[in-house]
Amino acid sequence: MKQITITIDNQKINATEGANLLQVAKDHDIAIPHLCYHKKLSPTGACRLCIVKIEGQRGMVASCAVHVSDGMKVTAFDEELEEARKYLLDYLLSEHNEEYDGTYHDEFRELIYKYGLNNKENRRFPSIWKELGYPADETSPVLAYDAAKCIRCFRCIKGCDEVQGKNVLSFTNRGILSYIIGGFDKWGESECDGCGECIQLCPTGAIVEKPHRESINIENGIKKVRSTCPYCGVGCQLELWVQDGKVVRSNGVEGVSPNDGRLCVKGRFGYDYVSHPDRLTTPLIKKDGKFAEASWDEALDLVARKFGEIKEKYGRKSLAGYASAKTTNEDNYLFMKLVRLVFGNNNVDYCTRLCHASTVTAMLRSLGDGAGSNSIEDYETSDCMLVTGNNMIETHPVTATFVKYAAQRHDAKIIIIDPKWTPLVKDAHIWLQPRLGSDVALLNGMIRVIVKEDLIDREFIEKRVEDGMEAYEALKALVEKYTPEYTEEITGVPAELMQEAARIYAKAERPLIATGMGYSQQVTGTHNVFCLINMMLITGQIGREGAGLNPPRGQNNVQGVSDVGASPFTYPGYISVEDEENRRKVAKVWGVDPDELDGEKGLSTVEIMQAAYDGGIRGMYIMGENPMLTDPNLNHTEEAIKKLEFLVVQDIFHTETTPYADVILPATAFAESEGTYVNSDRRVLRVRKAVDPPGESRQDWEIVAEIARRMGKPLGNYRHESDIWDEIAKTAPIFAGISYDRLEQHGIQWPCPDKGHPGTATLFEERFNTPNGLGKLHPVDYAEQSERASEEYPLILNTGRILYQYHSSTMSRRNKALTDFANDAYVLVHPTDASKFGIADRQKVKIISRRGEIENISVNVSEEVLPGELFMPFHYSEAPVNRLTRDELDPYSKIAPFKLSAVRIEA
């Protein structure tokens, strides 16, 4: 971009040609007044306060609407301009309710004071806002709108449209009587999902948060702490507002990746669980079937003694641990270290085995790395996005804003593959709706189209795929039978739509695949992802900016927990536990003898429960996980947990799992912790302590370290979380160049091999991370699922997530702002099935599978699902859908098939 020189008030300034004049001034600390402009939005020119004079142009012009050019001479401040600004402010003020309660940042009020208009004697215009009868709208669960404070700057409307891609807000009425509405009238009756973008952008307090309005007073001092959102895997950067030792507000941090100020409803309003009265505050020990409060010494001594006794009696493989995707890398690293060094085995796993394990397995085998290959921001400039089994508007809402921006602003093509309707369908070019479990057939059909129409990238195949064209020919031979007609017969997807989708993807310049748990949570999950990778490799659609495969992680630190080695198969940095050289390397960092490290793979999540049922696992340590709601085949899980001789649960609340514990240890929430997370695009992000923890609760790593010490195996001398991170960076080369100092202002994407490396935004640009640097094709055939609809169980149940709840909802349901939006379990039933089985909308039903049953579930009759298929969210303890799911495993990744269970439905 060409660099030019302009002059503002006799100050010479270097700028990029074509840049926005007002933004150039702001970037050089020249504070031209404005209210309607925001750097994230297209210029409006509505408030006119940013007027300037430009040499050679007549009159005054709005600087927000000017692009700079070389030699431009600008006057930003003189007597005439200042008088005009005062006049404009005075006019706006006449229609404005200037009452101020100290709960929000009011940019308009600051300008009123700057220009002396707080003194009513300096005003020209009378106040008429009361006579105009402006309405107020408090129908939204999370925000309030006062039209008497609105200056019609368009920021909220443009933020909703241009940033969030929702277009819910607009004006009604005309001229002086116009005001903002949500949808057709009231906010609470509209499609507004509560993301709060409008609140953060509003310059006057016309739109404000409802939560904590009665207690916030920013003029009394607000502590602001930057941290990372504790919900999904986007890793949004938050600015937490703290008053009187309590988090009272959450704003998005502008100008920082990955979210640039954007948040979803959970990130903005889902923080109240931190100070909820249900928090665990002291250790609890079960005595005579009831929990009693205990001191830390009593609880930790008991834990250490019981684990030691079990290990002594049954051997080192009789113990196991569940790590947590909700806690920090530092917490999980020490937890993993405890299992390997103190328990003496590799029986450590976590919820990735229940969500994305098959994606990671397929990517590791094909590409040598299991993480997303691109950056979240790349979606904004993509020309084709293939979204497979991924309801990202509800599960990763901020990532979805970039996707929608590309479609709505740049005509990018969105292709959705999902048996269930998702909100992104509204922006999609093509929606392929295959029957549940038929994904391999659909993708093989798409690959055949690409082969037959010669849309492959031969040069890429020859240079970057193992065995080159020979491997391609094997894939070509396998997919030959997947004609459009045969594929349609299996999947139900119209042949012409499947063919068009294949062509669009293969021909795209910057195509991204976003594959979710709809693809991974199947017994064929690894095969599904193999097929995606096969299609990607033969078209050469990976290894450059804007092209690749990106599985969005479901929880805040799913990526990081795997990265730091909380896996039964790999140490930090994805090196195998079975390799002797790897054990030597890790042992050297840990200062132990390599023989102390178990050289056999450990048990995965579901296998641990099976071993508990069979008597192989006798003691368990569960940190921040809730298997009694999230594990498959819950009846079997319950029986397994009951057979344990000793169970420790470490959490911030009582959960569906804690009643089965012998000891409960109270841990800290994200806002009480220091550490790091890794988000979906491999970005290491800081988590910072904003408030003190309640009662006697402690950070997870401190508890883990103390248990290890009391079991006679201290894990190290850690004075601060940064000490743990530094050890992680020594153990895992992907983190070698990352330190807390470097993370102070922004995250860094791994791999980052040294202190001078900026991090890696795009993977595989020159080689894959396989031993030979080449990608590998894995041709796989379609196989019918082992569990199918039958006369007794005629429907297939699909499960998933919704926007307003999170995982097992122990956090999200303790936020009134979220439960006001959605707090009831339901099942989606197609109208055809509702009629067939005599089920009415809103009727309560029982759902029964071969493994269990649940009842009192409300029916939503909906065409969002196909005939013969149901959908239920899994968040609700009163509707534990996993009592219906099965624990059959994908043979490669050991994941369970949450997406496909044969059931029947009864009134």
Side-chain angles (χ1 to χ4, degrees):
M1 293 182 180
K2 183 180 178 183
Q3 294 299 298
I4 61 170
T5 301
I6 67 170
T7 302
I8 302 179
D9 288 344
N10 299 316
Q11 178 182 342
K12 287 192 179 298
I13 291 172
N14 294 322
T16 301
E17 186 175 43
N20 182 281
L21 173 56
L22 178 56
Q23 189 61 49
V24 170
K26 287 169 65 73
D27 291 343
H28 289 83
D29 298 321
I30 300 172
I32 299 174
H34 62 88
L35 288 171
C36 67
Y37 174 79
H38 192 284
K39 64 181 180 180
K40 293 201 297 187
L41 309 175
S42 62
T44 303
C47 73
R48 312 302 293 176
L49 292 171
C50 68
I51 49 175
V52 296
K53 298 174 182 176
I54 299 176
E55 189 176 279
Q57 297 187 26
R58 296 177 60 186
M60 304 174 189
V61 296
S63 59
C64 69
V66 174
H67 299 292
V68 298
S69 58
D70 196 29
M72 180 180 282
K73 293 184 178 180
V74 180
T75 299
F77 293 93
D78 66 15
E79 187 175 343
E80 184 181 19
L81 286 165
E82 288 292 85
E83 186 60 31
R85 289 172 182 142
K86 184 175 180 180
Y87 179 93
L88 290 165
L89 282 167
D90 195 357
Y91 184 82
L92 288 172
L93 187 55
S94 68
E95 305 167 10
H96 184 78
N97 175 6
E98 60 188 293
E99 294 172 359
Y100 179 65
D101 62 8
T103 64
Y104 56 90
H105 177 211
D106 192 334
E107 298 172 43
F108 187 32
R109 186 168 181 265
E110 291 174 353
L111 289 175
I112 290 169
Y113 274 75
K114 177 179 178 179
Y115 284 89
L117 294 171
N118 56 305
N119 184 346
K120 295 183 179 180
E121 294 181 1
N122 293 334
R123 301 180 186 179
R124 305 183 193 189
F125 303 104
S127 177
I128 60 171
W129 68 270
K130 289 183 180 179
E131 289 86 341
L132 295 173
Y134 288 126
D137 185 348
E138 298 210 6
T139 58
S140 165
V142 294
L143 62 84
Y145 170 66
D146 183 356
K149 287 184 172 293
C150 179
I151 61 168
R152 303 167 197 85
C153 67
F154 284 85
R155 275 201 201 175
C156 60
I157 291 175
K158 289 194 170 189
C160 186
D161 181 22
E162 297 177 4
V163 178
Q164 290 285 335
K166 295 166 184 171
N167 203 18
V168 174
L169 306 183
S170 61
F171 278 115
T172 190
N173 292 346
R174 294 184 178 183
I176 198 172
L177 296 177
S178 61
Y179 60 91
I180 307 293
I181 59 171
F184 294 106
D185 188 11
K186 298 295 185 183
W187 236 287
E189 299 168 1
S190 73
E191 291 185 339
C192 171
D193 63 13
C195 73
E197 187 75 38
C198 55
I199 300 170
Q200 186 158 324
L201 289 172
C202 180
T204 67
I207 308 174
V208 292
E209 295 102 331
K210 277 186 174 179
H212 306 296
R213 290 291 304 285
E214 74 287 346
S215 59
I216 294 175
N217 190 324
I218 63 175
E219 296 188 345
N220 288 347
I222 293 282
K223 182 173 79 168
K224 299 179 181 180
V225 179
R226 182 169 152 192
S227 195
T228 301
C229 181
Y231 287 101
C232 81
V234 177
C236 291
Q237 295 301 281
L238 310 176
E239 182 184 76
L240 300 176
W241 287 24
V242 178
Q243 193 160 55
D244 298 326
K246 183 178 178 180
V247 178
V248 293
R249 186 163 293 168
S250 172
N251 286 329
V253 180
E254 304 276 359
V256 177
S257 294
N259 55 310
D260 189 20
R262 300 164 170 86
L263 292 178
C264 77
V265 64
K266 292 194 291 291
R268 194 174 300 277
F269 296 108
Y271 51 79
D272 276 346
Y273 76 90
V274 173
S275 56
H276 198 279
D278 288 350
R279 284 288 301 276
L280 294 169
T281 59
T282 188
L284 301 171
I285 294 176
K286 187 177 285 181
K287 298 178 179 178
D288 299 322
K290 295 182 179 180
F291 286 109
E293 293 186 359
S295 68
W296 273 106
D297 280 339
E298 183 184 3
L300 293 173
D301 281 345
L302 176 62
V303 171
R305 178 170 58 80
K306 293 296 288 184
F307 280 154
E309 289 174 353
I310 289 172
K311 182 179 178 181
E312 179 69 23
K313 184 176 181 180
Y314 300 106
R316 59 188 174 84
K317 299 209 173 185
S318 60
L319 296 170
Y322 277 3
S324 175
K326 300 185 194 72
T327 62
T328 68
N329 294 313
E330 293 75 8
D331 297 331
N332 282 287
Y333 176 79
L334 288 199
F335 188 89
M336 169 275 302
K337 195 173 178 181
L338 175 143
V339 173
R340 300 199 201 280
L341 282 181
V342 185
F343 288 1
N345 62 58
N346 292 312
N347 295 335
V348 58
D349 208 0
Y350 71 111
C351 69
T352 192
R353 207 64 50 199
L354 308 177
C355 56
H356 261 303
S358 49
T359 313
V360 173
T361 300
M363 293 178 71
L364 283 169
R365 292 185 179 211
S366 300
L367 311 174
D369 222 315
S373 60
N374 303 87
S375 300
I376 288 171
E377 303 98 302
D378 284 354
Y379 286 109
E380 195 169 45
T381 55
S382 174
D383 61 349
C384 170
M385 288 154 286
L386 178 59
V387 182
T388 63
N390 177 1
N391 181 10
M392 66 164 61
I393 283 182
E394 298 203 64
T395 58
H396 301 84
V398 171
T399 297
T401 65
F402 293 102
V403 172
K404 288 186 288 184
Y405 185 91
Q408 295 170 4
R409 305 291 158 183
H410 300 305
D411 295 322
K413 300 290 192 297
I414 299 175
I415 301 166
I416 292 178
I417 302 177
D418 205 309
K420 178 187 174 295
W421 181 90
T422 69
L424 194 60
V425 168
K426 291 185 286 188
D427 288 290
H429 181 70
I430 294 175
W431 174 28
L432 307 181
Q433 192 178 16
R435 298 185 183 101
L436 280 166
S438 64
D439 303 289
V440 167
L442 177 62
L443 291 172
N444 278 343
M446 292 176 69
I447 292 171
R448 185 183 184 277
V449 173
I450 291 167
V451 169
K452 288 295 182 183
E453 299 187 12
D454 197 25
L455 300 176
I456 66 171
D457 186 334
R458 280 182 170 76
E459 182 180 0
F460 188 92
I461 295 170
E462 290 170 351
K463 290 183 177 179
R464 302 205 55 189
V465 174
E466 185 176 302
D467 297 326
M469 293 303 292
E470 181 182 342
Y472 164 74
E473 289 296 335
L475 176 64
K476 178 181 176 181
L478 182 136
V479 302
E480 176 59 31
K481 68 181 178 184
Y482 291 92
T483 64
E485 297 74 23
Y486 178 58
T487 303
E488 181 173 347
E489 180 184 332
I490 296 172
T491 66
V493 173
E496 63 275 11
L497 284 181
M498 181 272 290
Q499 290 169 301
E500 185 182 357
R503 293 177 191 126
I504 290 171
Y505 175 77
K507 294 177 181 178
E509 295 292 325
R510 296 169 59 86
L512 291 169
I513 298 174
T515 183
M517 285 180 274
Y519 261 37
S520 61
Q521 289 180 326
Q522 301 185 34
V523 289
T524 57
T526 304
H527 279 189
N528 292 342
V529 183
F530 276 150
C531 288
L532 278 174
I533 296 171
N534 292 342
M535 185 170 68
M536 183 175 64
L537 289 175
I538 67 170
T539 52
Q541 301 289 34
I542 188 170
R544 62 183 188 274
E545 185 178 324
L549 176 60
N550 300 278
R553 305 308 190 195
Q555 295 187 57
N556 52 308
N557 201 29
V558 168
Q559 184 65 53
V561 185
S562 288
D563 294 345
V564 301
S567 161
F569 317 128
T570 58
Y571 291 125
Y574 301 97
I575 58 175
S576 172
V577 299
E578 295 179 292
D579 183 272
E580 187 176 349
E581 180 58 27
N582 291 341
R583 293 198 297 279
R584 278 199 294 268
K585 289 177 181 177
V586 172
K588 183 177 180 181
V589 175
W590 290 353
V592 299
D593 190 301
D595 291 339
E596 293 186 49
L597 298 178
D598 186 1
E600 295 182 7
K601 289 181 180 179
L603 300 176
S604 65
T605 300
V606 178
E607 289 174 326
I608 287 171
M609 280 301 169
Q610 184 60 53
Y613 182 84
D614 294 337
I617 297 295
R618 301 293 183 132
M620 273 194 74
Y621 184 4
I622 298 175
M623 178 179 75
E625 293 288 338
N626 187 14
M628 276 307 301
L629 194 61
T630 61
D631 274 21
N633 194 359
L634 277 183
N635 292 324
H636 183 271
T637 299
E638 183 177 25
E639 292 173 5
I641 282 181
K642 285 179 175 178
K643 289 187 175 185
L644 291 170
E645 292 188 15
F646 190 67
L647 173 63
V648 177
V649 176
Q650 188 167 300
D651 218 312
I652 62 174
F653 292 110
H654 278 291
T655 69
E656 288 70 29
T657 304
T658 55
Y660 301 89
D662 296 286
V663 177
I664 301 172
L665 302 176
T668 55
F670 91 106
E672 302 148 0
S673 304
E674 291 282 342
T676 57
Y677 300 151
V678 183
N679 78 340
S680 294
D681 66 3
R682 298 168 283 103
R683 199 180 305 264
V684 184
L685 299 159
R686 280 284 275 117
V687 182
R688 295 178 177 88
K689 181 179 178 180
V691 295
D692 290 330
E696 299 177 33
S697 53
R698 297 181 181 179
Q699 191 160 342
D700 290 280
W701 73 263
E702 295 173 320
I703 302 171
V704 171
E706 188 58 25
I707 290 172
R709 187 186 70 79
R710 291 174 191 237
M711 290 184 72
K713 282 271 190 179
L715 300 179
N717 182 25
Y718 308 109
R719 295 162 297 174
H720 185 268
E721 291 78 9
S722 61
D723 295 333
I724 305 173
W725 176 263
D726 290 343
E727 184 175 307
I728 294 172
K730 291 177 183 176
T731 312
I734 58 174
F735 296 130
I738 302 176
S739 64
Y740 272 37
D741 287 344
R742 293 194 67 195
L743 295 173
E744 191 58 33
Q745 299 302 322
H746 58 81
I748 298 174
Q749 291 167 278
W750 65 256
C752 180
D754 58 66
K755 299 292 186 184
H757 195 281
T760 306
T762 304
L763 293 181
F764 314 130
E765 288 184 305
E766 296 179 0
R767 68 187 309 276
F768 293 105
N769 203 29
T770 53
N772 61 10
L774 301 174
K776 184 176 177 61
L777 296 173
H778 288 86
V780 291
D781 222 339
Y782 166 71
E784 196 169 354
Q785 298 277 336
S786 60
E787 176 136 318
R788 299 186 285 275
S790 64
E791 186 175 347
E792 185 178 5
Y793 301 102
L795 300 166
I796 298 296
L797 174 66
N798 183 9
T799 70
R801 303 167 186 245
I802 64 172
L803 172 63
Y804 300 104
Q805 298 300 337
Y806 173 69
H807 206 239
S808 63
S809 72
T810 51
M811 292 158 47
S812 54
R813 289 185 93 176
R814 288 178 170 92
N815 298 273
K816 184 177 184 298
L818 301 181
T819 56
D820 280 353
F821 275 105
N823 198 32
D824 297 307
Y826 62 87
V827 59
L828 295 182
V829 181
H830 191 274
T832 301
D833 295 319
S835 176
K836 179 178 179 181
F837 296 105
I839 302 298
D841 196 45
R842 307 300 171 192
Q843 182 176 350
K844 298 291 186 179
V845 296
K846 177 188 290 186
I847 305 175
I848 306 162
S849 78
R850 294 178 176 88
R851 291 155 294 278
E853 62 183 53
I854 55 177
E855 56 187 9
N856 292 322
I857 313 302
S858 180
V859 168
N860 285 3
V861 177
S862 171
E863 292 186 347
E864 291 184 13
V865 292
L866 287 165
E869 297 181 4
L870 310 176
F871 172 84
M872 276 191 71
F874 74 88
H875 308 290
Y876 299 106
S877 58
E878 66 272 24
V881 68
N882 283 322
R883 291 202 179 274
L884 308 175
T885 57
R886 68 193 200 275
D887 52 9
E888 179 185 356
L889 299 182
D890 177 320
Y892 301 95
S893 64
K894 309 300 184 183
I895 202 168
F898 294 92
K899 300 301 182 189
L900 202 153
S901 304
V903 300
R904 69 175 182 267
I905 189 167
E906 297 178 356

